[in-house]
Amino acid sequence: MTEKSISKISLFINFLLFSGVGITIIFFRTNYLTLFHFVTSILIMGLGSISLILNIIKAKKAKDIAISLSTFIIGIFFYNNKTKFLSLFPIIFGIYMLVNGIIKFITYLIFKKRENRKFYNVLFGSFIDFSFSLIMLTNPSKNINRLTAILGIYLILFGITYFKDFLKEAFPNKIRKKKKRNFRITLPIIFSVMIPYKVLLKINKLLKEWETPVKVPNKKVSGKVDLEIFIHVKNSTIGRFGHADLFFDGTVYSYGCYDEQSKKLIELLGDGTFFEVKSKEKYIKFCNTHSDKTIFAFGLTLTKREKEEVKAKLEEIKKNTYPWNPKTKKKKNKIKNDYAISLEKETKAKFYKFYKSTYKTYFLLSTNCVKLVDEVVGATGSDLLKINGVITPGAYYEYLEQEFKKEKSNVITKQIYTNQNIERKKKP
């Protein structure tokens, strides 16, 4: 599997493409909606009819035939009911905004409890999301044009992101003198959340077929890797969401909820826990073998000033912590399978909990592992947008992947660590 680099021309073409589609949608909404309805309905009918024919020929189970027939009927229904078909999308968007509003409101309650000065911004964002949700869900059929306009604006902003990247590649010396963080439009969480898992499936398929090892492009760079960001993923329910941590100045830093006894709300909430591991090799081996994780490691080169900023940010985060022993109040029969205890045993990890700061309470959908990585790396000027208050490991992977493929970004290396690769090296 060989990855292609991104050229300045491709970035500019993407800018024209996304912006052009967005502008077209805004100014020709009626034609766009008519075409979208027609094409989508025909595709659903086509997929349903082909699937139905194949299932009958192959004598598949009645359940499979019923699903194919239902798909075909849904396609016919959509084709003959344009308004009802288009009304589905404001409903879906309304539900999506409602979920985002709930996430932000929970985050607000966490921040308020920790007396964080910025919690009013989160509350205001929650209010905006709830308002959008109410508008969309109250009368979906009348909000189709509004939603289409929002889609057009989103695509234009997404295109502008590519234009900014084009400028950075075309004029690196002028653009990079400014280290102020900028907003960046990324994929919505519903699309980005599963990106690492999809890449994992692709890699596993190649490894099972015993093809050539996974290859990444060799980037001609000056300097060395000063910081690495690890994106973890595994084949499990929570593991597919992913995890992120970083390696800097000889130490792995990670944040999450590693106190099993504090977890609640289906493991979404718990005590925020911070740990350090001095051996990168031991940590990666532990993640590969104990947790069966695949790790995507992106290496960044930093200036002297950026390294000082990263160090200062880590010290700022750590000053609000106190040492924590994973074996505290732990029953003997639960020690063996406890992740934190196993990690401490295998890697000599040092754990800490927070006595204050927003990291005191871990929340999977906001104050999570990526928030800490983003805050630390953000000190160097990276511009990943916290879209809707949520940065998923998938969104971060997508950002790092795009930066790695650029010729002149400071993301200069990429390494993939898998348990299969460890076994593979032992083969003759």
Side-chain angles (χ1 to χ4, degrees):
M1 182 177 73
T2 304
E3 301 180 49
K4 298 179 181 179
S5 60
I6 297 177
S7 66
K8 293 188 286 289
I9 296 174
S10 64
L11 290 171
F12 190 73
I13 290 173
N14 281 333
F15 156 66
L16 294 176
L17 178 64
F18 284 106
S19 300
V21 172
I23 292 170
T24 302
I25 288 175
I26 290 174
F27 288 98
F28 301 96
R29 262 177 268 179
T30 303
N31 294 334
Y32 164 75
L33 290 172
T34 300
L35 180 63
F36 177 71
H37 164 253
F38 177 77
V39 172
T40 305
S41 300
I42 294 298
L43 281 175
I44 294 173
M45 282 191 287
L47 290 173
S49 59
I50 293 171
S51 176
L52 180 62
I53 293 170
L54 291 175
N55 285 334
I56 292 174
I57 292 174
K58 294 179 180 180
K60 288 290 184 85
K61 295 180 180 178
K63 178 183 175 182
D64 297 322
I65 295 174
I67 292 173
S68 300
L69 181 61
S70 299
T71 303
F72 179 69
I73 294 172
I74 289 171
I76 294 175
F77 176 79
F78 283 160
Y79 183 80
N80 291 302
N81 294 272
K82 178 181 176 181
T83 302
K84 290 182 179 179
F85 166 73
L86 294 175
S87 296
L88 285 174
F89 296 93
I91 293 173
I92 293 170
F93 184 72
I95 294 172
Y96 176 66
M97 295 305 291
L98 177 63
V99 172
N100 276 305
I102 293 171
I103 291 171
K104 286 183 182 178
F105 186 70
I106 294 174
T107 304
Y108 156 72
L109 294 177
I110 294 171
F111 282 13
K112 183 182 178 182
K113 188 177 181 181
R114 305 306 166 205
E115 298 182 358
N116 187 285
R117 295 179 182 179
K118 297 179 181 179
F119 65 78
Y120 288 115
N121 294 336
V122 183
L123 180 61
F124 180 71
S126 176
F127 173 76
I128 294 297
D129 287 344
F130 282 135
S131 299
F132 262 106
S133 175
L134 182 63
I135 292 170
M136 289 294 166
L137 294 175
T138 302
N139 199 334
S141 61
K142 290 186 178 180
N143 288 305
I144 297 169
N145 286 330
R146 291 177 184 173
L147 181 59
T148 308
I150 291 172
L151 174 61
I153 293 169
Y154 173 82
L155 290 173
I156 292 172
L157 294 174
F158 196 69
I160 291 173
T161 298
Y162 277 102
F163 184 67
K164 288 167 59 181
D165 290 341
F166 163 75
L167 292 177
K168 287 181 181 179
E169 289 292 291
F171 310 101
N173 295 328
K174 293 182 180 180
I175 299 296
R176 287 188 187 147
K177 286 181 180 178
K178 300 178 181 180
K179 280 298 177 184
K180 184 180 178 180
R181 259 195 125 178
N182 299 309
F183 287 109
R184 182 183 187 87
I185 301 296
T186 62
L187 291 172
I189 184 175
I190 55 175
F191 297 118
S192 67
V193 68
M194 295 301 288
I195 287 175
Y197 181 66
K198 290 177 181 177
V199 178
L200 170 65
L201 293 179
K202 189 175 182 180
I203 291 171
N204 285 345
K205 182 180 178 181
L206 291 176
L207 291 171
K208 286 179 181 179
E209 292 172 356
W210 286 92
E211 295 184 0
T212 56
V214 175
K215 295 180 180 179
V216 294
N218 294 319
K219 297 185 73 174
K220 295 181 180 180
V221 295
S222 58
K224 62 183 180 66
V225 172
D226 299 300
L227 181 148
E228 284 185 275
I229 299 174
F230 301 147
I231 305 294
H232 305 232
V233 64
K234 63 181 293 187
N235 190 13
S236 69
T237 304
I238 296 296
R240 293 179 187 182
F241 182 82
H243 175 72
D245 43 36
L246 60 92
F247 175 72
F248 175 74
D249 201 19
T251 303
V252 175
Y253 298 93
S254 186
Y255 172 77
C257 180
Y258 299 103
D259 183 358
E260 299 290 337
Q261 297 180 113
S262 74
K263 291 182 178 180
K264 49 193 171 184
L265 197 63
I266 324 176
E267 300 189 5
L268 293 179
L269 283 168
D271 291 347
T273 318
F274 179 75
F275 73 72
E276 300 174 333
V277 175
K278 293 297 181 181
S279 173
K280 168 186 165 182
E281 291 73 21
K282 286 183 179 180
Y283 178 65
I284 289 176
K285 184 179 179 181
F286 175 83
C287 293
N288 287 154
T289 55
H290 179 274
S291 305
D292 196 24
K293 289 180 178 178
T294 292
I295 296 178
F296 303 96
F298 293 89
L300 284 68
T301 181
L302 307 175
T303 64
K304 183 178 179 180
R305 181 180 177 182
E306 288 170 344
K307 285 187 280 187
E308 291 173 353
E309 289 170 343
V310 169
K311 186 176 180 181
K313 179 58 68 174
L314 286 168
E315 289 175 352
E316 179 186 331
I317 292 171
K318 191 177 174 181
K319 74 179 181 181
N320 295 317
T321 65
Y322 62 91
W324 173 67
N325 184 355
K327 295 180 182 179
T328 303
K329 297 181 181 180
K330 189 73 65 175
K331 295 181 180 178
K332 289 184 178 180
N333 62 338
K334 291 187 177 182
I335 288 179
K336 187 176 180 180
N337 297 321
D338 187 275
Y339 181 87
I341 293 174
S342 299
L343 180 65
E344 182 184 48
K345 180 180 179 182
E346 297 295 329
T347 68
K348 308 300 180 185
K350 293 183 179 179
F351 288 86
Y352 305 88
K353 281 193 176 184
F354 293 82
Y355 61 85
K356 68 176 185 178
S357 91
T358 56
Y359 294 108
K360 182 173 173 60
T361 301
Y362 171 86
F363 180 37
L364 179 67
L365 301 173
S366 62
T367 51
N368 57 16
C369 56
V370 192
K371 174 179 168 57
L372 184 135
V373 172
D374 183 60
E375 184 174 344
V376 173
V377 180
T380 70
S382 67
D383 58 353
L384 181 62
L385 172 69
K386 299 177 182 179
I387 185 122
N388 288 322
V390 182
I391 305 180
T392 65
Y396 220 82
Y397 174 90
E398 180 69 11
Y399 169 72
L400 293 168
E401 180 74 5
Q402 294 298 314
E403 290 296 306
F404 173 69
K405 290 179 180 180
K406 295 174 189 174
E407 295 176 1
K408 298 177 182 178
S409 77
N410 69 330
V411 181
I412 60 173
T413 63
K414 177 183 176 184
Q415 180 64 48
I416 302 170
Y417 299 97
T418 72
N419 198 29
Q420 291 94 327
N421 277 341
I422 293 173
E423 296 171 357
R424 183 192 198 89
K425 291 178 182 177
K426 295 179 182 178
K427 297 280 184 181

